[in-house]
């Protein structure tokens, strides 16, 4: 039997669009997945992430369930459009930052290491309409976004 190296962490992971829901709550902007999933014929049964697992409204009990699994880490992605509804950092959504602050604090209170993914294929729709990843300005948009996240959450996340 092989041993895992010192410091190895067992954890669970999610992606924002697939779990959060709350698509029209608290100032969240549209993402490319909102647009795609609401296009008739693109998704079986016209399913979408508007509610998803409703993690946005059930976060506390979800973290309680995760803590009962006996893992030590939770990797979650951030909804860029929940933090910056138009994609650029010129319009900040404080309710989005509050949600992730509460999530991180809840994880820490349960001795779970918060591990954040900045981007999990969830681009704000407004940036997609400006060319998205095909527009070289994305370097600045993403850089500003990453800087804001690092400045705000960096002392508490991996």
């Amino acid at each position: 039997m092989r041993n895992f190296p010192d410091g190895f962490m067992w954890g669970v992971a999610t992606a924002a669009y697939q779990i959060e829901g709350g698509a029209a709550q608290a100032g969240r902007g549209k993402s490319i997945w909102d647009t795609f999933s609401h296009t008739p014929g693109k998704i079986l049964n016209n399913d979408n992430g508007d509610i998803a697992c409703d993690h946005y409204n059930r976060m506390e009990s979800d973290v309680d369930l995760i803590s009962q699994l006996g893992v030590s880490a939770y990797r979650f992605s951030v909804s860029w459009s929940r933090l910056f509804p138009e994609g650029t950092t010129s319009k900040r959504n404080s309710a989005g930052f509050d949600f992730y602050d509460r999530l991180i604090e809840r994880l820490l209170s349960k001795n779970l290491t918060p591990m954040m993914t900045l981007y999990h294929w969830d681009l704000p729709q407004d940036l997609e309409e400006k060319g998205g990843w095909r527009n070289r300005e994305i370097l600045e948009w993403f850089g500003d976004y990453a800087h804001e996240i690092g400045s705000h959450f960096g002392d508490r996340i991996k």
Side-chain angles (χ1 to χ4, degrees), residues 117-136:
T117 297
L118 295 179
Y119 181 76
H120 195 165
W121 307 106
D122 194 9
L123 190 69
Q125 183 61 39
D126 285 356
L127 296 185
E128 178 64 19
E129 291 171 9
K130 294 177 181 178
W133 291 104
R134 297 170 311 279
N135 183 335
R136 290 193 58 79

Side-chain angles (χ1 to χ4, degrees), residues 5 11 28 46-47 66 109 134 149 156:
R28 179 184 170 274
N46 296 315
D47 291 337
I66 293 167
S109 77
R134 297 170 311 279
I149 285 182
R156 296 171 286 155

Side-chain angles (χ1 to χ4, degrees), residues 51-63:
I51 298 172
C53 298
D54 203 22
H55 181 65
Y56 185 77
N57 295 300
R58 298 169 173 248
M59 178 272 295
E60 290 86 0
S61 60
D62 287 349
V63 172

Side-chain angles (χ1 to χ4, degrees), residues 75-113:
R75 196 277 303 156
F76 58 97
S77 69
V78 176
S79 170
W80 186 340
S81 57
R82 188 173 301 286
L83 296 177
F84 301 102
E86 297 171 1
T88 63
T89 56
S90 62
K91 183 177 180 186
R92 182 184 180 109
N93 180 19
S94 61
F97 278 86
D98 290 346
F99 169 71
Y100 292 112
D101 280 333
R102 288 191 324 274
L103 171 60
I104 291 166
E105 292 307 317
R106 184 73 170 199
L107 291 166
L108 292 170
S109 77
K110 299 290 183 177
N111 295 314
L112 293 164
T113 300

Side-chain angles (χ1 to χ4, degrees), residues 33-43 46:
W33 275 107
D34 295 311
T35 301
F36 183 81
S37 67
H38 284 272
T39 303
K42 294 290 185 181
I43 306 285
N46 296 315

Side-chain angles (χ1 to χ4, degrees), residues 80 84 87-89 118 127 133 136-151:
W80 186 340
F84 301 102
T88 63
T89 56
L118 295 179
L127 296 185
W133 291 104
R136 290 193 58 79
E137 288 183 78
I138 196 81
L139 300 171
E140 185 174 328
W141 300 330
F142 188 81
D144 292 346
Y145 165 69
H147 174 78
E148 291 294 318
I149 285 182
S151 295

